[in-house]
Amino acid sequence: MMRFSIMVGLVIASSMARAGDNLPYSPSADVPDYVATMTVQPLVGPTHTRIVTHHGGWVRVEEMQATTYGNPAKQISVTFRGDSQTGYSPVSISRETSTSYERIRGVIETGQTQTHDSERCDVREIQRRDPDRSEPGLKWLSCVTADGIEIATEVFVNGSPFRQSTLVKLERRPVSAEEVALPAKLLDVAQWLHFDDQPAATGVKQPPDFAMRMQWKGAVRVMRRHDPWIYDEAAYPDGRRYLSIRNARTGQELSFRAAKGGAFENLFLCQKCQPGDMLSILHGRDAVPKSMGHTDSVLGEPCEWFDMAPRTADVNHSQCLTPDRIPLEIGIGGAWAPREEFVADEIQRRDLKPEEILPPADVLTRSNWDIPG
């Protein structure tokens, strides 16, 4: 059977997000209040409407089943995606840093002008990739009015049109702060992670709680299990941090990433993740581990090696599991990164309290994400 490539999915998803350009490009923070209604024509999918509302440097972008709040000057966006029928509404917070792969690296004045709905604009090329690398990729064009309002965009993939948006109506009118304000309880952990007791299905043996520390080349990884919750956090010497908190039974998930130097980069919150969500794919929720046919011993405990993603290409993820399913060794890598080999150096089997599964306070502090309020 053909193996599914996780990295292909990741690249496409990332490109789509960038091509969608959730935040309008703005050459300055000094842009007047406005509401712009645009028509979006993607290469794949239906033509649809995009509404951008701006006030005081912050925008609200409504497009299909997603609403994005953000600050173009600070390159931070908060996207809510939902389904009105299921109530499924994950939130993704993205903050561009100096190491972000597709951050804005430069802007080129093309010298071209366009007119949309009687509004004149100048075309600029937004450079998001390293200009010294010859790899094919995405090209972003933004058409901006004299007072800094983006009224048209074009995105090309390897030179071919991928997506374009054009102005239908532009209103320069007062916009209230409330129209672009993020929800007050956006980062209230109680809204996302519910620790009510949920007994395992009848006849299913509940795995024991544990707290464990692992190390690899100066990096420290902490794992805790309070079934059905798993807490997994890694901190690296260069300041990078990764955190995952998930409940496979209910679909609740939180994922956090900090870049080199410790700058906060991404936060994903999901009340009920669905099959196909990025975190579900990465965690291999639907994958059935396959025995690799050999054993090991760590801290005097025997463990058996399993391939945790046996039907995925580009990902090499294996774990050495004890009989009660505790990973004493974790190896993971792939086409996008060298393999890491974390090995347990401390483990405790004990009853954990729900608060031991909560994220560190700084992860949900609004000021660390440049979010007001």
Side-chain angles (χ1 to χ4, degrees), residues 9-133:
L10 288 174
V11 170
I12 291 175
S14 174
S15 298
M16 288 290 288
R18 283 298 175 197
D21 198 15
N22 285 339
L23 294 185
Y25 165 71
S26 178
S28 167
D30 186 19
V31 177
D33 287 5
Y34 70 86
V35 178
T37 302
M38 309 177 78
T39 295
V40 180
Q41 294 179 299
L43 177 65
V44 178
T47 298
H48 57 272
T49 298
R50 167 183 165 99
I51 300 175
V52 181
T53 303
H54 173 270
H55 169 78
W58 285 84
V59 297
R60 186 184 77 242
V61 182
E62 298 166 277
E63 186 172 349
M64 299 187 76
Q65 290 185 338
T67 300
T68 297
Y69 297 81
N71 188 310
K74 295 182 178 181
Q75 283 296 289
I76 176 173
S77 64
V78 181
T79 300
F80 295 78
R81 300 185 185 277
D83 185 321
S84 59
Q85 294 182 342
T86 64
Y88 163 52
S89 181
V91 173
S92 177
I93 300 177
S94 177
R95 181 171 173 267
E96 299 291 341
T97 69
S98 61
T99 60
S100 296
Y101 179 59
E102 289 182 348
R103 66 188 183 276
I104 294 180
R105 300 167 186 262
V107 179
I108 298 175
E109 300 281 355
T110 67
Q112 301 175 351
T113 62
Q114 297 177 358
T115 300
H116 300 277
D117 192 38
S118 301
E119 294 278 351
R120 182 182 178 279
C121 59
D122 297 314
V123 179
R124 308 180 186 196
E125 179 182 345
I126 313 302
Q127 292 184 314
R128 291 188 180 273
R129 297 285 180 88
D130 187 344
D132 295 328
R133 298 180 65 175

Side-chain angles (χ1 to χ4, degrees), residues 72-261:
K74 295 182 178 181
Q75 283 296 289
I76 176 173
S77 64
V78 181
T79 300
F80 295 78
R81 300 185 185 277
D83 185 321
S84 59
Q85 294 182 342
T86 64
Y88 163 52
S89 181
V91 173
S92 177
I93 300 177
S94 177
R95 181 171 173 267
E96 299 291 341
T97 69
S98 61
T99 60
S100 296
Y101 179 59
E102 289 182 348
R103 66 188 183 276
I104 294 180
R105 300 167 186 262
V107 179
I108 298 175
E109 300 281 355
T110 67
Q112 301 175 351
T113 62
Q114 297 177 358
T115 300
H116 300 277
D117 192 38
S118 301
E119 294 278 351
R120 182 182 178 279
C121 59
D122 297 314
V123 179
R124 308 180 186 196
E125 179 182 345
I126 313 302
Q127 292 184 314
R128 291 188 180 273
R129 297 285 180 88
D130 187 344
D132 295 328
R133 298 180 65 175
S134 60
E135 62 179 4
L138 300 173
K139 179 179 180 180
W140 290 263
L141 296 179
S142 173
C143 205
V144 182
T145 64
D147 54 357
I149 301 174
E150 181 182 76
I151 61 172
T153 66
E154 288 183 279
V155 181
F156 297 86
V157 176
N158 296 330
S160 299
F162 181 78
R163 170 180 164 129
Q164 68 175 14
S165 63
T166 54
L167 182 70
V168 174
K169 180 181 180 181
L170 177 61
E171 300 176 82
R172 291 179 176 85
R173 65 164 177 82
V175 173
S176 67
E178 289 73 19
E179 291 181 75
V180 296
L182 285 159
K185 293 186 177 181
L186 170 66
L187 298 182
D188 181 355
V189 69
Q191 179 171 293
W192 300 102
L193 305 181
H194 307 290
F195 293 100
D196 298 336
D197 289 335
Q198 296 163 328
T202 303
V204 176
K205 184 178 180 180
Q206 188 170 354
D209 289 3
F210 73 84
M212 179 174 63
R213 186 184 67 186
M214 314 180 83
Q215 296 203 43
W216 174 76
K217 293 186 176 181
V220 177
R221 186 168 184 170
V222 174
M223 294 190 70
R224 304 184 187 112
R225 180 171 67 199
H226 179 59
D227 192 66
W229 291 92
I230 294 289
Y231 179 105
D232 188 353
E233 181 179 20
Y236 295 77
D238 60 6
R240 287 176 296 142
R241 291 168 60 192
Y242 299 95
L243 170 66
S244 167
I245 301 173
R246 63 188 185 276
N247 182 325
R249 194 175 300 159
T250 64
Q252 298 171 76
E253 295 189 8
L254 178 152
S255 177
F256 161 79
R257 183 174 76 236
K260 289 182 179 180

Side-chain angles (χ1 to χ4, degrees), residues 299-342:
L299 298 176
E301 292 198 38
C303 58
E304 181 180 358
W305 280 100
F306 286 84
D307 183 348
M308 304 304 291
R311 296 178 57 197
T312 54
D314 302 326
V315 173
N316 183 356
H317 183 192
S318 56
Q319 295 185 3
C320 197
L321 301 175
T322 64
D324 53 359
R325 312 299 287 179
I326 297 176
L328 298 181
E329 294 186 67
I330 298 176
I332 188 167
W336 76 98
R339 185 172 171 85
E340 299 178 350
E341 298 278 359
F342 281 93

